[in-house]
């Protein structure tokens, strides 16, 4: 069996397939998935075997994602409260990993007035903020200089390893959807963990506005809620070369 | 409760608008034993606002208080109680509270404050900015004169989109006693808007990023919240649906649980069909549609969605979209509200007052709520509307109003029930323009004073539903016989108590209610069916006391007395029992300190008794029974002459009500002759210093002898 740095090619193919980049990578013939890149592949659980300091590049796709239907949202915020109370033992919408409070009054574009304004003061629509559990390259994880954003072994949710997080907030800057919360008390970032596959927010919604469904790529739906600061730490950028080659080194077509 | 415990966030914010001084005090040190809500409000008024102070004096204080459960996921929290010298209380302003939901209370907690005390008077219009620990008094001159919508938008631009603004409109700015403060579009506290105006305070805006800690076990907390959700009904805790369904043993057409599967939120884009399982916890928000309940089934097609307070799954503020009103009346096509404020516009008109499924009536409601919630004009539980009708229909206005002013009012529109009449009338009142606007802006008492109309002309007329002291009945004998009457004697405004009606109107058959009643109040005779009353008895008095104490308790905890208590449930498998200890279970887990139901009810009694003490002090008399606990004559009459306490009438009997009051004073431990607590009773409730002060002023029954 072919191996790369001791990993079977079969696993590498499966990993590539999971990212949705399989065709792209193999066709161009520069698939060079490294063991380093694979440390985050949840099903391999290789984190321990291949060293903790390896930079993370590829995260396997999550298994599920939370879908939000704005026409059903009744702006009660029970999802935000379930998120923080049941997970953290405190009621704190600012820490919630689902975002309602910011959209309740005027919607995502704020107190602009006019016809296009959403929320309670506008047309009534409450556009929830939910984590898309982005596919590779995962903006928050890629931006993290500590590689503290990893895939949850059970659900593949991108989760913050609080023990590794420095509290630099680069992930907050990197998320195009403004979905990274910050726990001011602990000084660490916090994000949606999908609650081991049983999201508390989904369970708490009194209007069935939230659903937990098999993952699909929602990053192409709609526009990002904010401009992002794309920061890639040099170590991480280097790891990109494990799979991608610079333009000058590409094989001619 | 110990410092650092959960539930409370630990600080009370105090802002002196005269000096600009901003301070905080420790909630536990200063207000221990009073929880929150009016408990804190009454304490501040007792300690700091001397008898004889006027509502618009700089010395009057305004206390916005939340409670330890506010901001958590306890279903139906999110309430703030605003306590002050209540300006519509007649003939003399006395202590009273307005109550508002929305998102203000929770934000104040997240900002780190259990309550806000506003005192003094700014020398120019200001708004109060609260962003966590940062509190500033900011210039509001540019906002003065603008409505609540405009003020909210501009303040939100300055503070940020996620802030909650509690603002007054023109009514409050003009110091109208009928002014109200509004937050989150439609959540109002009546009567206190003018007090803010008097202090030159346009708005309080709050942004909070902090937490309310749950001290107890997370899993136990989650389980209790889920249990509470399982025993919830619809609005007013109506526990059976209004429609027959195989999913429920009983139904009751009078129930507010109107969300029948298949009905649609017709103005949602695209429309939303209500789901099939009415018991599903993920469908609780579909049960209530206040617009449908009050305006008729036709309102489904205008329904955008339910809305309401922080953490409440009930959503009693129904959001409506009615495009026709923009073209016809030049107002936004969106509107939202609940109950009396939803019907604000319709009830002015004789032809529309009770009309359901009528387009003009609905349009009148849209116009009414738009204006009321922008001008910040209160209805005094519909008394404003009934007052105008009586003044007009009774010929008082024609006789008393100057002919020039009378002619300036578009009565032709009024006569033809044209909602456009409100576009003229309501700004008149909010701006206190002319004699009519001025009098109506001051409340019902001003009608008696200004036009020398004897109060008895209102109190003797069943149609006014006027009760006493400038205010109407609020769930009295039409719902709950002697119990409702007792409750309506106790406050200095309309009784804001729903504990009793939420039980008797819950939709369950009487025999089931009686079974539940026996378990809670010791006898199945603690209640009758509405309009089929038996004589007064002690269990009814006990239930009246329970109702009043739970009302005060809910205000103090920050949960909704329009939903609680949860004495019944929709669950057949539980024999429809609710849980009478729910409040104490939640408080115990939130704070981490166990407090049982009896202890908590004692706290509620302390708060309620402090209200009594303040009333006695500020009235300067102890004979509450004769001077305060009044029942209007219409209660003892029946328009068709039916005998009291017979089936089919709500007519009560004076001797029986006297007996009911005897029983009530007895269960309260108050003196029967005066209806006042003794010095010893104050002491028993932990209010020894209050009792001493009143005794020294000869305002306890024994000292007055």
């Amino acid at each position: 069996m072919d191996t790369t740095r001791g990993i079977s090619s079969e696993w590498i193919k499966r990993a590539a397939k999971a990212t949705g980049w399989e065709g792209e990578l193999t066709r161009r013939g520069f698939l060079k998935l490294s063991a380093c890149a694979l440390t985050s592949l949840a099903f391999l659980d290789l984190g321990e075997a291949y060293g903790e300091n390896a930079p993370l590049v590829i995260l396997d796709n999550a298994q599920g994602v939370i879908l939000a239907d704005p026409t059903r949202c009744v702006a009660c915020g029970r999802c935000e409260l379930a998120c923080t109370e049941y997970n953290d033992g405190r009621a704190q919408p600012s820490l919630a990993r689902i975002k309602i409070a910011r959209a309740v009054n005027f919607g995502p574009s704020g107190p602009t007035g006019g016809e296009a304004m959403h929320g309670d003061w506008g047309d009534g629509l409450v556009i929830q903020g939910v984590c898309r559990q982005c596919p590779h390259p995962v903006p928050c994880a890629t931006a993290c200089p500590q590689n503290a954003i990893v895939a949850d072994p059970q659900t593949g949710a991108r989760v913050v390893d609080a023990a590794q997080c420095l509290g630099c907030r680069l992930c907050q800057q990197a998320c195009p959807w403004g979905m990274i919360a910050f726990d001011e008390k602990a000084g660490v970032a916090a994000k949606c963990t999908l609650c081991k596959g049983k999201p508390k927010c989904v369970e708490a919604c009194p209007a069935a506005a939230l659903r937990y469904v098999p993952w699909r790529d929602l990053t192409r739906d709609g526009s990002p809620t904010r401009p992002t600061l794309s920061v890639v730490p040099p170590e991480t950028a280097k790891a990109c070369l494990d799979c991608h080659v610079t333009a000058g080194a590409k094989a001619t077509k | 409760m110990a410092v650092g415990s959960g539930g409370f966030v630990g600080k009370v914010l105090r802002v002196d608008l005269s000096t600009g001084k901003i301070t905080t005090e420790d909630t536990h040190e200063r207000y221990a034993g009073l929880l929150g809500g009016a408990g804190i409000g009454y304490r501040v008024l007792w300690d700091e606002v001397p008898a004889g102070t006027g509502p618009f004096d700089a010395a009057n204080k305004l206390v916005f208080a939340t409670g330890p459960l506010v901001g958590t996921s306890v279903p139906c929290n999110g309430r703030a109680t605003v306590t002050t010298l209540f300006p519509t209380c007649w003939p003399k302003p006395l202590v009273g509270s307005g109550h508002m939901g929305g998102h203000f209370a929770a934000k104040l907690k997240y900002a780190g404050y259990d309550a806000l005390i506003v005192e003094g008077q700014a020398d120019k219009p200001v708004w109060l900015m609260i962003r966590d620990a940062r509190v500033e008094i900011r210039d509001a001159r540019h906002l003065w004169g603008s409505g609540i919508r405009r003020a909210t938008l501009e303040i939100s631009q300055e503070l940020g989109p996620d802030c909650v603004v509690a603002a007054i409109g023109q009514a409050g700015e003009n110091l109208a006693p009928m002014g109200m403060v509004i937050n989150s579009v439609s959540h109002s506290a009546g009567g206190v808007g003018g007090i803010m105006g008097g202090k030159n305070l346009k708005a309080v805006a709050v942004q909070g990023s902090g937490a309310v800690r749950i001290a107890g076990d997370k899993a136990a907390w989650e389980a209790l919240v889920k249990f509470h959700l399982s025993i919830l009904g619809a609005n007013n805790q109506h526990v059976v649906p209004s429609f027959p369904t195989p999913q429920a043993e009983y139904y009751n057409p009078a129930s507010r649980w109107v969300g029948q599967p298949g009905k649609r939120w017709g103005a949602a884009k695209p429309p939303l069909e209500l789901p099939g399982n009415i018991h599903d916890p993920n469908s609780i928000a579909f049960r209530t549609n206040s617009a449908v309940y009050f305006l008729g089934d036709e309102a489904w097609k205008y329904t955008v969605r339910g809305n309401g307070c922080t953490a409440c799954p009930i959503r009693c503020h129904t959001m409506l979209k009615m495009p026709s009103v923009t073209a016809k009346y030049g107002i936004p096509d969106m509107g939202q509200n609940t109950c009396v404020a939803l019907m604000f516009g319709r009830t002015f008109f004789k032809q529309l007052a009770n009309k359901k499924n009528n387009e003009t009536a609905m349009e009148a409601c849209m116009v009414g709520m738009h204006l009321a919630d922008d001008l910040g004009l209160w209805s005094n539980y519909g008394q404003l509307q009934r007052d105008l009708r009586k003044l007009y229909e009774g010929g008082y206005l024609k006789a008393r109003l100057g002919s020039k002013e009378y002619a300036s009012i578009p009565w032709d529109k009024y006569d033809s029930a044209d909602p456009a009449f409100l576009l003229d009338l309501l700004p008149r009142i909010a701006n206190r323009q002319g004699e009519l606007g001025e009098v109506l802006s001051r409340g019902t008492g001003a009608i008696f004073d200004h036009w020398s109309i004897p109060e008895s002309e209102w109190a003797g007329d069943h149609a006014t539903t006027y009760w006493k002291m400038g205010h109407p009945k609020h769930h009295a004998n039409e719902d709950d016989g002697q119990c409702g009457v007792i409750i309506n004697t106790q406050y200095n405004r309309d009784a804001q108590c729903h504990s009793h009606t939420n039980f008797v109107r819950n939709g369950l058959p009487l025999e089931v209610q009686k079974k539940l009643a026996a378990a809670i109040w010791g006898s199945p005779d603690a209640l009758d069916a509405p309009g089929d009353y038996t004589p007064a008895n002690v269990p009814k008095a006990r239930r009246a006391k329970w109702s009043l104490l739970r009302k005060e308790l809910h205000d103090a905890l920050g949960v909704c007395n329009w939903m609680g208590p949860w004495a019944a449930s929709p669950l057949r498998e539980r024999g429809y029992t609710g849980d009478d200890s729910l409040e104490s279970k939640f408080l115990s887990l939130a704070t981490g300190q166990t407090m049982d139901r009896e202890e908590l009810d004692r706290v509620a009694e302390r708060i309620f008794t402090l209200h009594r003490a303040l009333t006695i002090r500020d009235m300067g008399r102890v004979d509450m029974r004769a001077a305060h606990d009044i029942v209007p004559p219409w209660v003892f009459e029946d328009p068709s002459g039916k005998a009291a306490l017979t089936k089919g009438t709500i007519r009560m009997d004076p001797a029986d009500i006297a007996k009911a009051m005897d029983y009530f004073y007895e269960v309260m431990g108050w003196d029967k002759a005066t209806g006042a607590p003794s010095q010893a009773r104050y002491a028993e409730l932990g209010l020894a210093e209050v009792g001493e002060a009143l005794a020294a002023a000869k305002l306890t029954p024994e000292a007055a002898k």
Side-chain angles (χ1 to χ4, degrees):
Chain A
M1 192 187 285
D2 292 346
T3 59
T4 303
R5 293 200 218 173
I7 309 257
S8 100
S9 57
E10 184 57 26
W11 282 117
I12 291 172
K13 272 185 202 156
R14 281 178 62 180
K17 190 174 177 185
T19 67
W21 282 61
E22 181 197 30
E24 189 101 339
L25 294 170
T26 51
R27 188 176 63 248
R28 294 193 184 175
F30 50 77
L31 174 65
K32 294 196 297 170
L33 279 183
S34 72
C36 303
L38 285 167
T39 51
S40 60
L41 292 177
F43 55 88
L44 286 175
D45 198 19
L46 293 173
E48 282 180 34
Y50 292 94
E52 298 294 346
N53 297 326
L56 296 169
V57 177
I58 299 180
L59 272 68
D60 186 13
N61 284 338
Q63 290 171 12
V65 69
I66 294 164
L67 279 187
D69 179 348
T71 63
R72 283 173 176 268
C73 180
V74 291
C76 65
R78 291 197 65 78
C79 50
E80 292 185 327
L81 293 166
C83 176
T84 65
E85 273 186 9
Y86 306 157
N87 285 309
D88 310 274
R90 53 193 149 129
Q92 188 174 13
S94 69
L95 178 62
R97 278 72 75 164
I98 180 164
K99 302 288 182 193
I100 303 300
R102 68 186 186 192
V104 163
N105 287 333
F106 308 104
S109 54
T112 55
E115 288 300 310
M117 199 165 72
H118 296 306
D120 284 355
W121 293 92
D123 66 359
L125 206 63
V126 179
I127 301 168
Q128 307 95 326
V130 288
C131 175
R132 271 100 177 137
Q133 309 295 347
C134 295
H136 177 79
V138 180
C140 58
T142 307
C144 179
Q146 286 294 103
N147 303 313
I149 296 182
V150 295
D152 175 73
Q154 200 179 325
T155 60
R158 289 77 177 90
V159 298
V160 177
D161 178 352
Q164 298 300 319
C165 177
L166 288 176
C168 72
R169 297 174 192 258
L170 285 175
C171 54
Q172 275 193 308
Q173 298 292 322
C175 177
W177 318 95
M179 287 310 303
I180 309 286
F182 196 80
D183 185 342
E184 300 285 349
K185 208 169 127 205
V188 296
K191 69 167 298 301
C192 177
T193 67
L194 296 176
C195 299
K196 310 265 171 236
K198 279 184 152 178
K200 302 287 186 190
C201 55
V202 173
E203 200 179 26
C205 180
L210 303 173
R211 287 189 293 143
Y212 183 56
V213 299
W215 186 87
R216 84 166 175 84
D217 188 355
L218 292 169
T219 62
R220 292 153 206 216
D221 295 19
S223 347
T225 48
R226 58 204 296 271
T228 56
L229 173 66
S230 186
V231 184
V232 182
E235 302 76 21
T236 307
K238 242 183 262 169
C240 295
L241 296 173
D242 282 339
C243 302
H244 304 275
V245 292
T246 54
K250 274 182 191 172
T252 49
K253 280 178 187 171
Chain B
M1 259 153 258
V3 176
S5 63
F8 296 94
V9 288
K11 279 192 183 127
V12 172
L13 178 65
R14 187 183 284 266
V15 176
D16 185 335
L17 294 173
S18 296
T19 61
K21 202 172 146 200
I22 295 165
T23 51
T24 61
E25 47 209 54
D26 187 286
T27 310
H28 303 289
E29 263 174 42
R30 183 98 209 279
Y31 304 102
L34 292 163
L35 294 175
I40 295 180
Y42 299 156
R43 184 87 244 176
V44 169
L45 259 59
W46 178 268
D47 289 345
E48 304 175 21
V49 180
T53 305
F56 299 103
D57 295 350
N60 184 23
K61 303 197 176 183
L62 191 57
V63 184
F64 297 80
T66 72
L69 299 183
V70 165
T72 70
S73 75
V74 170
C76 318
N77 79 70
R79 304 290 305 176
T81 302
V82 192
T83 307
T84 192
L85 287 171
F86 215 75
T88 51
C89 176
W90 176 86
K92 183 183 181 185
L94 297 166
V95 61
S97 302
H99 313 85
M100 63 181 178
H103 300 290
F104 179 83
K107 285 280 186 206
L108 196 61
K109 289 282 294 284
Y110 301 144
Y113 309 104
D114 293 307
L116 160 70
I117 303 166
V118 180
E119 52 194 34
Q121 186 178 39
D123 57 8
K124 60 173 185 347
V126 296
W127 65 279
L128 183 64
M129 187 212 88
I130 302 173
R131 178 185 283 150
D132 295 327
R134 188 169 158 197
V135 181
E136 290 170 18
I137 298 166
R138 290 197 179 177
D139 191 352
R141 278 174 298 188
H142 65 295
L143 299 170
W144 209 253
S146 63
I148 288 167
R149 283 186 179 78
R150 170 58 49 189
T152 301
L153 191 84
E154 292 196 21
I155 289 172
S156 300
Q157 287 167 349
E158 196 168 327
L159 185 53
D162 61 338
C163 73
V164 169
V165 182
I168 58 170
Q170 291 86 344
E173 289 178 1
N174 292 316
L175 275 60
M178 290 287 282
M180 62 184 180
V181 58
I182 292 253
N183 85 83
S184 307
V185 185
S186 56
H187 296 269
S188 57
V192 299
I195 308 299
M196 283 177 72
K199 296 190 175 307
N200 260 325
L201 180 62
K202 178 70 179 176
V204 179
V206 193
Q207 209 171 37
S209 65
V212 180
R213 195 175 146 252
I214 309 300
D217 178 60
K218 269 192 295 194
W221 178 262
E222 184 176 352
L224 188 62
V225 169
K226 284 181 180 161
F227 167 72
H228 190 188
L229 290 169
S230 80
I231 64 167
L232 281 185
N235 185 218
N236 284 33
Q237 188 58 3
H238 287 185
V239 296
V240 307
S242 69
F243 47 88
T245 162
Q247 297 177 57
E249 185 180 11
Y250 306 113
Y251 79 99
N252 190 323
S255 170
R256 296 187 184 197
W257 187 330
V258 298
Q260 189 169 6
K263 297 284 185 191
R264 301 165 97 210
W265 285 358
K269 273 191 200 171
L272 175 70
E273 189 157 312
L274 303 196
N277 180 355
I278 65 166
H279 296 293
D280 182 355
N282 297 118
S283 294
I284 296 175
F286 300 125
R287 291 177 188 170
T288 299
N289 184 324
S290 298
V292 165
Y293 180 78
F294 290 105
L295 311 184
D297 231 35
E298 281 291 296
W300 281 115
K301 73 174 179 225
Y302 301 116
T303 301
V304 177
R305 65 169 165 94
N307 203 5
C309 310
T310 312
C312 182
I314 297 298
R315 316 323 278 163
C316 71
H317 281 233
T318 307
M319 190 179 269
L320 298 169
K321 184 182 172 79
M322 206 176 176
S324 62
V325 298
T326 303
K328 284 191 197 167
Y329 312 105
I331 62 164
D333 60 0
M334 299 285 297
Q336 66 170 57
N337 223 308
T338 189
C339 201
V340 169
L342 181 63
M343 301 181 283
F344 188 103
R346 175 181 87 175
T347 36
F348 279 103
F349 301 97
K350 185 180 170 180
Q351 302 93 317
L352 308 177
N354 298 307
K355 208 141 199 177
K356 286 188 174 182
N357 296 319
N358 175 287
E359 197 158 336
T360 310
M362 278 190 226
E363 287 178 352
C365 291
M366 292 293 285
V367 176
M369 71 180 119
H370 166 75
L371 289 169
D373 294 351
D374 199 41
L375 297 164
L377 179 64
W378 186 42
S379 80
N380 188 12
Y381 200 58
Q383 193 63 42
L384 172 66
Q385 288 85 341
R386 291 185 295 271
D387 286 351
L388 182 77
R389 280 190 58 186
K390 187 164 172 73
L391 287 169
Y392 182 71
E393 291 163 24
Y396 295 93
L397 287 183
K398 187 128 210 191
R400 285 172 168 84
L401 215 53
S403 58
K404 202 170 156 199
E405 183 176 339
Y406 191 88
S408 76
I409 298 166
W411 296 114
D412 53 328
K413 284 188 183 149
Y414 189 46
D415 291 336
S416 61
D418 179 350
F421 173 72
L422 301 174
L423 298 170
D424 178 276
L425 177 75
L426 300 183
R428 231 177 241 273
I429 304 171
N431 293 319
R432 310 184 75 171
Q433 183 192 330
E435 200 179 346
L436 182 66
E438 166 63 21
V439 173
L440 293 182
S441 79
R442 283 161 52 200
T444 308
I447 294 172
F448 310 145
D449 283 343
H450 182 84
W451 284 315
S452 305
I453 298 170
E455 186 192 16
S456 57
E457 292 189 22
W458 258 239
D461 180 357
H462 199 140
T464 65
T465 71
Y466 176 81
W467 198 272
K468 60 162 186 162
M469 299 169 83
H471 296 275
K473 72 151 180 76
H474 201 141
H475 300 297
N477 51 318
E478 83 286 8
D479 275 2
D480 201 4
Q482 295 92 347
C483 192
V485 170
I486 293 168
I487 288 166
N488 273 264
T489 61
Q490 291 301 294
Y491 288 97
N492 303 322
R493 55 167 295 185
D494 57 311
Q496 291 274 289
C497 180
H498 297 79
S499 318
H500 58 313
T501 187
N502 290 354
F503 187 80
V504 298
R505 294 282 191 190
N506 65 18
L508 288 168
L510 185 64
E511 62 272 18
V512 179
Q513 290 178 324
K514 280 184 170 289
K515 221 164 111 186
L516 301 178
I520 302 174
W521 303 290
S523 164
D525 301 329
L527 90 160
D528 302 312
D532 189 9
Y533 300 124
T534 61
N537 61 31
V538 175
K540 287 182 190 174
R542 222 180 278 141
R543 192 162 61 81
K545 176 181 179 180
W546 173 90
S547 300
L548 288 160
L549 298 196
R550 286 304 166 99
K551 175 247 186 284
E552 292 295 339
L553 177 63
H554 292 159
D555 289 349
L557 294 171
V559 301
C560 181
N561 187 252
W562 283 253
M563 274 302 294
W566 291 271
S569 78
L571 302 180
R572 188 182 183 177
E573 62 271 28
R574 288 178 58 90
Y576 300 100
T577 55
D579 186 346
D580 195 34
S581 307
L582 206 50
E583 297 91 336
S584 56
K585 287 174 183 164
F586 272 126
L587 184 67
S588 299
L589 273 174
T591 61
Q593 292 196 322
T594 305
M595 193 183 252
D596 64 20
R597 187 185 68 193
E598 290 72 22
E599 270 179 276
L600 199 52
D601 279 346
R602 214 176 110 81
V603 174
E605 186 160 4
R606 181 181 305 142
I607 297 170
F608 182 61
T609 306
L610 192 51
H611 176 271
R612 192 68 161 179
L614 269 166
T615 304
I616 291 171
R617 184 194 75 176
D618 289 2
M619 281 180 79
R621 54 199 297 179
V622 73
D623 53 339
M624 288 290 103
R625 182 168 190 152
H628 181 276
D629 297 350
I630 296 162
V631 180
W634 66 258
V635 171
F636 303 119
E637 286 152 20
D638 182 284
S640 54
K642 280 198 166 166
L645 306 180
T646 59
K647 193 169 177 160
T649 181
I650 62 166
R651 178 178 181 176
M652 308 306 292
D653 174 73
D656 179 71
I657 287 297
K659 213 182 284 175
M661 295 306 292
D662 279 348
Y663 294 144
F664 173 68
Y665 297 136
E666 223 165 83
V667 298
M668 291 302 300
W670 294 353
D671 172 52
K672 266 198 268 185
T674 57
S678 64
Q679 190 178 347
R681 187 71 194 138
Y682 289 116
E684 281 163 20
L685 290 165
L687 297 168
E689 83 291 358
V690 171
E692 276 164 35
L694 288 175
K698 299 203 181 325
L699 290 173
T700 54
E702 60 280 7
K705 270 175 195 158

